[in-house]
Amino acid sequence: LLEQQNKIHLQLQESLAQMSENNQRLAEISKTDQLTGLYNRWGFLDNVQSITTNPMNYGKQIMVLYADMDNLKLINDKYGHDEGDFAIKEVASILKEAFRSTDVVARFGGDEFVAFALIGISEYENVIKQRILEITAMHNATAGKSYPIEMSIGICESFCTPAMDIADILDIADKRLYLEK
């Protein structure tokens, strides 16, 4: 009877460990964009919140980028949705290459992308825009497509503070994006 009880206890521990692992995996999946592998809106907001609410980051400079892929509808209409998906994945790849692994890059929805970075220099906007332009040119040169991958970008630099609202900063970056278009 004691041996059977130990066996059941061991099985229960294994089941609980498996459930915990499955729950962690589901949490990751729920915060990831299936097409691009980037964070989705919820994954972005969750990760940015954990960075911005960390007192160690208060006073540090931040940068938020809002990017809108250009001509997705045209690509979908002329070349089909598989090509549209390819173009979306290319934009995701470009942004992922342009930012560091410690930065937060996400597909916010449809053809909109966002990124968040703690930065150490002023006017990082010019640096990241140039980097994105160069990487985009390389992708377009090697993709072999009859359409270019292009995106419009808006950037807002600020400082991390306890009162900071990421929604306000995203809104500013989004407005700057539309000024660029």
Side-chain angles (χ1 to χ4, degrees):
L1 191 59
L2 189 57
E3 186 177 308
Q4 190 175 25
Q5 184 181 14
N6 286 339
K7 185 178 178 181
I8 291 171
H9 181 71
L10 205 66
Q11 287 175 336
L12 182 60
Q13 283 181 320
E14 288 173 5
S15 294
L16 286 173
Q18 183 65 44
M19 280 177 42
S20 177
E21 186 178 311
N22 289 343
N23 284 341
Q24 283 181 321
R25 178 83 174 114
L26 284 172
E28 288 174 27
I29 290 170
S30 72
K31 294 178 183 180
T32 304
D33 176 62
Q34 187 177 10
L35 180 63
T36 63
L38 297 177
Y39 287 115
N40 61 22
R41 177 183 299 263
W42 297 273
F44 175 82
L45 293 172
D46 188 54
N47 278 279
V48 168
Q49 181 183 17
S50 69
I51 294 168
T52 59
T53 57
N54 182 340
M56 297 278 295
N57 293 325
Y58 293 163
K60 291 183 179 178
Q61 272 189 285
I62 63 160
M63 185 207 65
V64 172
L65 172 137
Y66 210 113
D68 186 48
M69 183 183 155
D70 297 336
N71 303 315
L72 178 60
K73 182 175 177 5
L74 183 69
I75 294 168
N76 279 334
D77 291 349
K78 190 170 182 178
Y79 302 101
H81 289 277
D82 286 344
E83 285 298 314
D85 286 350
F86 171 82
I88 288 170
K89 289 188 273 189
E90 282 294 293
V91 170
S93 180
I94 290 164
L95 292 174
K96 193 172 181 181
E97 281 180 54
F99 285 89
R100 303 165 296 195
S101 62
T102 55
D103 300 332
V104 183
V105 181
R107 180 176 175 209
F108 225 46
D111 62 353
E112 296 178 337
F113 296 82
V114 294
F116 174 91
L118 290 169
I119 57 176
I121 61 171
S122 296
E123 299 186 32
Y124 191 70
E125 176 176 350
N126 297 329
V127 173
I128 198 68
K129 280 185 174 182
Q130 185 60 39
R131 188 179 303 155
I132 290 170
L133 281 173
E134 290 170 4
I135 295 169
T136 301
M138 287 189 317
H139 276 251
N140 281 325
T142 59
K145 300 295 181 179
S146 56
Y147 56 85
I149 302 298
E150 299 172 319
M151 67 184 101
S152 300
I153 295 170
I155 293 177
C156 179
E157 291 183 9
S158 188
F159 289 91
C160 188
T161 68
M164 187 186 91
D165 185 352
I166 191 65
D168 292 340
I169 295 171
L170 281 166
D171 190 46
I172 293 167
D174 188 30
K175 286 177 180 160
R176 290 180 181 169
L177 177 152
Y178 282 99
L179 290 175
E180 184 179 299
K181 277 193 171 214

